[in-house]
Structure formats: structure tokens, C-alpha cells
Amino acid sequence: RAETAPETLTDGFHLLIDALKLNGIETIYNVPGIPITDLGRYAQAQGMRVISFRHEQHAGYAASVAGFLTKMPGVCMTVSAPGFLNGVTALANATTNCWPMILISGSSEREIVDLAQGDYEEMDQLAMARPFCKAAYRLNYAQDIGIAVARAIRSAVSGRPGGVYLDIPGAMLGQIMDGEEGKKSLVKVIDPAPRQTPSKESVARAVNVLKEAKRPLIVIGKGAAYDQSDDVIKELVEKSGLPFLPMSMAKGILPDTHPQCAAAARSLVLKESDAVIMMGARINWLLSHGKGMQWGEPGSKKFIQIDIDPEEMDSNVEIAAPLVGDVGSCAQALIDALESEGIAPPKDWLDQVNTKATANMEKMANKLQNNNDPMDYFAALGVIKEAVNKRPETILVNEGANTLDMCRSIVNIHKPRHRIDVGTWGVMGIGMGAAVAAAVETGKQVLAVEGDSAFGFCGMEIETICRYKLPVCIVIFNNNGIYRGDGENWGGGDDPATTVFVEDSRYDMMMEAFGGVGVWAKNPDELRQAIEEALASGKPTLINAAIDPAAGKESGNIGNLNPSSVVAQA
Ligand code: ADP
């Protein structure tokens, strides 16, 4: 144990912890095991918050969400080989989402691994990690910990943020160094993600596009949410008077109830706009690659794109005015230029958008009030919407298929970075990791709205939520299956259909098993009361909301991505 080591010495364990702390990293998301068990214990002893999960993937998702929320890399620590691989899923997801995270994994004896002599959990982890992250480094010597941690942090947050892998052979942790020398070897990163202002020419180009436009639109993405330039973005939107469309995790930078929010008129603005400012949002599959019917006549619009990564430009469609820089600096440059040009807000266009949005919202409002038995998605989401409106500080975590798609459009978000969901991959199973990180990093109440299938990928982490007594209320939309709960076995045999689960599964009883509050809610009133109690008390709660098994569409809003078999149809 460290206490018995001579005072003048330090070692790899302590240098790694000191290096993280020196750089303001106070929390580790881990799963203990050889060779990092003591690392977690020492980190806790040194005053770090160590949140131990039941499975590395969720510790990794938590770290990535911590990165999104704080602009500092979230740190996930895992054991070697299988634990490492479980963490890599989250590392790749972080990189895909452009969120900073560092995966630190213990690894086996280098000499044995390199000769493939069959060590305990042998794997060349460094090579495996590389394709899934921005950078990957191995630490062979304790004296390199300082510089390696500094470099890892800088790699994760600079430019387009992403995941970084740090490989720590177990033996390195035990290497000793003189204490003073060790201290001197640590490096505090200076300005790891420098602000990046756009060039004057690029701003002028963008302003020219806007000058000619009659129906401009701003699309705000999670890169903008990450940038934390909330006030500047608000100023740009309000001074320009343009309608804005928030991508799902950009909801709340400006409240969804803002008079310029075009979320409820999405189809109209995508189709009819003639100039689009993409602000920290990629033109990827989530936006139909900027092509097709959804975007109106081909060639009918010009794109201005704000992105920290120059290579993002022209990825799918021509970008008439690339603005390379951070969202805050680019938005500020646009505000200044628009003011000096005196461009007036396009009032008629905004009125047209508002009329459509209001009509769509009115149509939806009635559906949300229904009392159908069994409960449908609309009624359940009406209750969730009310709860978040009442407590706008609540962070909403959301995943599923129908549960995700409908919740995203129905439930208003009022504050920046208060919605965390499946991100760029549309991945299932992020829910519990995200909920833990949101609660740990912000201290706020979390409401996780989960499809029953999505919950299945991460459900064991409710034990983690109960163990750390986190203010997390999970609502499972339980319709007994994937997409729907009424599927049939196409072969007609005794096995259940591939997409159904045990009918009326009592997920609420799982929560009770860990000392949390469990509620089985069968109608909107029961759901409302259970959520109210959970959010008022802050107690770990799981509400098993029984949803009509016949409700729900195949793959939610993205059923068109399913290939279909011509042979089977014939
Ligand atoms: P969404 O899914 O919300 O549409 P994406 O994840 O597709 O958003 O896009 C986020 C974009 O934001 C990425 O292209 C990324 O390079 C960019 N980005 C990340 N951080 C910043 C920043 N601070 N300033 C500008 N762009 C950023």
C-alpha cells in the first residue's frame, strides 16, 4: 500500500492520478479488475470521484457524456482485453459524436503479448484501439505519465473533439520514481482547445449568401451545444430574426418554445428554405445527406456551414460558404457582419413558419390528452412533457425507436445540454450511462425515458444508480417488444417472435431488488403521480409504464432504412 512506501517515492498509480487531477479531471468512470483495481481505490483515496459500473460499455458512455457536458474529456478506466473491448464501443461512439473522452485500459505484459505467448487477457490493445479513436498512446514508463496525459487531453478536446486511448501495461503502474522528480514530470495542459476565429473572407462570403436569401434557416447541432456559446448563438438567432431548427441534442440552447423555433415546421423549413446555416451539425443521414425530396428542388438552396473541422465541408453537398472555426467565434463574426450590413429579418418567411408550426402543435396537443386504455405513446409522452415543463432543470435522457422519435418531437427542452440521446449512430443502450454521467456531472435531476428494448442493453446499471443514490428517474415505455410487442413467429413454431419480450415484464421489481423505488404505471394518472413523486424526492426510481403492445412503428421514424427481401415478397 502507498502509505507504507517511503515518503520520498511515488509510482505509476499515483502519478496517473496526480496527472489527471492536475488537469482538472476529478471523476473516473470504471469497472474494477486486474490490473486497475487498486488504481480506482487510490483515486478514491486521493479525493477523486470514482463511479464503478457493472459493465465497461456503460462506464464508457458515461465518460463520453461527461465530455459532452463539460468540454473536458470524460475518463473511463477498464481492465484488459474483454473489458477494454467493451470500452472501445463507447470510445468509438464518443469519436463518432465528436465528444472528448479518454479510455484508459490496463494491459498485459508487453513482452509476452508481443511474442504472442498467451498471457492472461492477452491482446495488442493499442493496435486494436487505433481505428476507433482520434489518437492512441501507450505508456511504458512512469516518467512519461505527465506528458502522455497532457497529450491525451489535448488530442481529445482540440479541433474536432473525440476519443483517445491510453494503454497502461499493468507493470508500469508499479514503477517507482523519486517523488520530487515525479512531480516535475507532470504537465498541466495550457489552452488545450484554442478558440478558432473564421477568416474575414469566409465571413464576407457567408454574408453575401444571406443578403441574397429570402428564406434563410439556421440548423443548430450538438457541436453548437458542446461549444457552450449559448449567449452568442441566442444573439445571432434573435438579431438575424431567422427561424432555427435544433437537432435533437441542440434542443434547449434556445428553448423549444422560442418564437423562432421551427421544430414543429421541420418539413416546411427544410423544403422551402433557400439558404441554410449549418451550425455545428453535419449534413449526414440524420438530414438525409442534404438531398432528396425533403430538401426541395435540387439546387434550390445554398449552404453556409460553421464547423471546427475544415474537412467536414462538402461532405455531402456543396458548401457555398464554409466558416471554419468554433461556433462561438463564427456566430460572433456573423453578428458583427450582419449588423454592419443592416440585413433585416425576413418577417414574411418567419410568419409562414410560425403559422405552420402553430397548426402542427395544435394538432398534437389533443392527442397528448387522451386516456386510451391501454395507454399509448401520446398519452404517456403528454405526461412526460408536462413534467419537464414544470421542472425545466431536469435533464432528459432518451433512447428507443418510437420512444426516441416521438419523445424528441413532443417533449420541449428549455435549457442547453438538457437532452442526451442516441447521437449520431442512433445507438441503443446509452441510457443508463448517460443518466449516471448527467447526474454526477451536473448534480441535477435526470429523467430517462427508455424504450423497453433500449433499456435491455444497459438495465443492470440501475444497480449503479441505486448504489450511488443518484437522482435518476427511469421511465420504461414497455410495449412488450422491439418496435411493437405483438409480433408473430414467421415460421409459426413455438418460439416467440424475434422482436417480442416476456409480456408485462416487471422491470419495476428489478429496481426494488436494489433498494430503489419501483412503480408499475398503467395509465396517465398513475404515470403522472409516480413521476411527480420521483422528481420531488430525487430517489432512484424506475417506472414501468405499460404501453399498448400494438402501438409503435417498425424502427420508429427510420423504417425506410430496413432492406426488404424481393424473394420473400414474390
Ligand atoms: P447533430 O447530430 O446535432 O446534427 P453532429 O454531431 O452531426 O451534430 O455535428 C457536430 C459538428 O460540430 C461536427 O462536425 C463537429 O466537427 C462540430 N463541432 C464540434 N465542436 C465544435 C465547436 N466547438 N465549434 C464548431 N464546430 C464544432
Side-chain angles (χ1 to χ4, degrees):
R1 289 173 59 95
E3 295 87 85
T4 57
E7 293 248 308
T8 55
L9 291 182
T10 187
D11 60 15
F13 289 103
H14 291 87
L15 282 166
L16 187 53
I17 293 160
D18 291 346
L20 293 171
K21 284 178 67 180
L22 179 70
N23 284 288
I25 293 172
E26 296 290 344
T27 306
I28 292 173
Y29 299 93
N30 82 340
V31 178
I34 296 171
I36 56 130
T37 311
D38 275 353
L39 190 56
R41 291 186 178 126
Y42 288 134
Q44 209 169 29
Q46 302 294 321
M48 293 187 85
R49 187 110 201 253
V50 182
I51 309 289
S52 287
F53 283 69
R54 302 298 296 262
H55 188 284
E56 294 84 358
Q57 196 176 103
H58 310 298
Y61 286 145
S64 70
V65 167
F68 169 67
L69 292 173
T70 65
K71 283 187 103 174
M72 279 295 288
V75 171
C76 170
M77 224 174 252
T78 79
V79 302
S80 35
F84 154 79
L85 286 172
N86 291 341
V88 164
T89 305
L91 183 70
N93 187 57
T95 308
T96 302
N97 281 327
C98 312
W99 296 344
M101 128 171 209
I102 301 176
L103 175 68
I104 301 179
S105 294
S107 58
S108 309
E109 291 292 326
R110 280 257 43 84
E111 295 76 1
I112 304 179
V113 174
D114 289 348
L115 278 172
Q117 291 176 314
D119 203 5
Y120 164 74
E121 297 193 346
E122 175 178 298
M123 176 176 277
D124 186 357
Q125 297 172 195
L126 184 65
M128 299 283 172
R130 278 209 173 98
F132 300 107
C133 55
K134 275 184 81 180
Y137 308 111
R138 175 178 294 132
L139 260 165
N140 285 311
Y141 300 107
Q143 70 226 41
D144 294 331
I145 288 175
I147 202 71
V149 167
R151 186 131 190 246
I153 292 172
R154 191 176 290 281
S155 299
V157 296
S158 62
R160 171 182 278 177
V164 173
Y165 176 62
L166 213 48
D167 191 75
I168 46 169
M172 192 281 301
L173 290 170
Q175 288 175 13
I176 50 171
M177 262 184 98
D178 172 71
E180 275 308 306
E181 291 290 310
K183 216 181 208 174
K184 278 193 224 149
S185 73
L186 300 182
V187 177
K188 187 168 162 56
V189 190
I190 297 161
D191 195 14
R195 283 270 164 212
Q196 217 170 296
T197 49
S199 72
K200 274 200 186 120
E201 303 75 40
S202 65
V203 176
R205 219 178 280 126
V207 169
N208 280 338
V209 172
L210 289 175
K211 263 202 247 172
E212 283 168 22
K214 303 221 165 18
R215 296 178 305 282
L217 168 71
I218 306 179
V219 175
I220 309 179
K222 62 180 174 299
Y226 173 79
D227 196 56
Q228 295 192 13
S229 308
D230 310 329
D231 293 343
V232 187
I233 296 170
K234 183 169 184 280
E235 192 182 339
L236 175 64
V237 168
E238 291 183 347
K239 284 200 168 150
S240 68
L242 304 185
F244 69 93
L245 186 65
M247 300 300 287
S248 66
M249 287 184 61
K251 279 159 72 78
I253 299 179
L254 290 107
D256 285 332
T257 49
H258 192 283
Q260 288 166 253
C261 181
R266 181 187 164 97
S267 306
L268 175 94
V269 290
L270 289 184
K271 197 164 182 205
E272 299 293 331
S273 55
D274 60 357
V276 185
I277 306 178
M278 302 298 304
M279 189 188 279
R282 284 168 284 185
I283 309 178
N284 55 16
W285 71 280
L286 288 159
L287 287 167
S288 312
H289 307 278
K291 295 169 212 163
M293 299 282 286
Q294 197 183 3
W295 287 91
E297 288 297 308
S300 63
K301 56 198 94 228
K302 289 194 166 159
F303 286 96
I304 298 166
Q305 185 158 24
I306 297 176
D307 207 291
I308 197 94
D309 184 355
E311 287 180 38
E312 186 53 38
M313 310 298 166
D314 303 324
S315 62
N316 284 273
V317 291
E318 180 188 282
I319 302 300
L323 276 176
V324 176
D326 62 89
V327 163
S329 302
C330 293
Q332 187 61 56
L334 280 182
I335 294 169
D336 298 343
L338 288 175
E339 262 176 0
S340 67
E341 294 281 343
I343 300 178
K347 191 171 171 317
D348 290 354
W349 166 232
L350 191 60
D351 286 348
Q352 190 190 340
V353 174
N354 270 334
T355 308
K356 182 73 184 168
T358 310
N360 282 349
M361 283 190 284
E362 275 167 10
K363 253 191 254 166
M364 179 60 81
N366 291 332
K367 288 192 195 166
L368 301 180
Q369 305 286 338
N370 84 66
N371 222 350
N372 294 344
D373 182 12
M375 184 157 60
D376 66 16
Y377 283 96
F378 292 106
L381 285 167
V383 173
I384 303 275
K385 179 176 182 161
E386 248 175 64
V388 176
N389 285 347
K390 184 171 170 194
R391 290 185 171 83
E393 291 289 340
T394 307
I395 298 187
L396 188 79
V397 169
N398 185 203
E399 63 174 331
N402 293 282
T403 307
L404 174 88
D405 288 334
M406 294 175 75
C407 182
R408 181 179 51 225
S409 58
I410 289 171
V411 176
N412 286 334
I413 302 295
H414 307 270
K415 306 265 173 194
R417 295 166 295 283
H418 277 53
R419 183 187 155 87
I420 301 163
D421 66 27
V422 301
T424 301
W425 266 349
V427 67
M428 295 294 117
I430 50 90
M432 296 304 99
V436 169
V440 166
E441 298 294 331
T442 69
K444 292 187 177 187
Q445 174 69 45
V446 176
L447 180 60
V449 179
E450 300 267 314
D452 51 347
S453 161
F455 176 74
F457 289 90
C458 54
M460 192 63 196
E461 300 303 342
I462 59 175
E463 190 275 333
T464 309
I465 289 167
C466 290
R467 186 166 16 109
Y468 286 90
K469 300 184 176 57
L470 298 174
V472 174
C473 169
I474 302 145
V475 179
I476 298 181
F477 279 26
N478 185 359
N479 69 348
N480 296 344
I482 303 174
Y483 312 133
R484 294 160 66 98
D486 58 355
E488 280 172 21
N489 177 343
W490 287 3
D494 290 337
D495 282 349
T498 57
T499 52
V500 301
F501 299 141
V502 168
E503 207 177 309
D504 296 335
S505 293
R506 296 295 304 275
Y507 300 110
D508 48 310
M509 292 170 88
M510 287 171 63
M511 194 66 169
E512 286 172 353
F514 300 121
V517 178
V519 182
W520 198 13
K522 300 206 190 76
N523 58 51
D525 287 339
E526 287 173 9
L527 179 59
R528 186 175 297 107
Q529 191 186 338
I531 294 180
E532 175 57 32
E533 278 170 23
L535 301 194
S537 70
K539 283 187 192 157
T541 301
L542 189 152
I543 304 165
N544 189 10
I547 303 283
D548 185 354
K553 284 191 290 185
E554 177 84 10
S555 305
N557 285 355
I558 53 174
N560 61 312
L561 298 183
N562 287 311
S564 56
S565 164
V566 176
V567 176
Q569 278 169 7

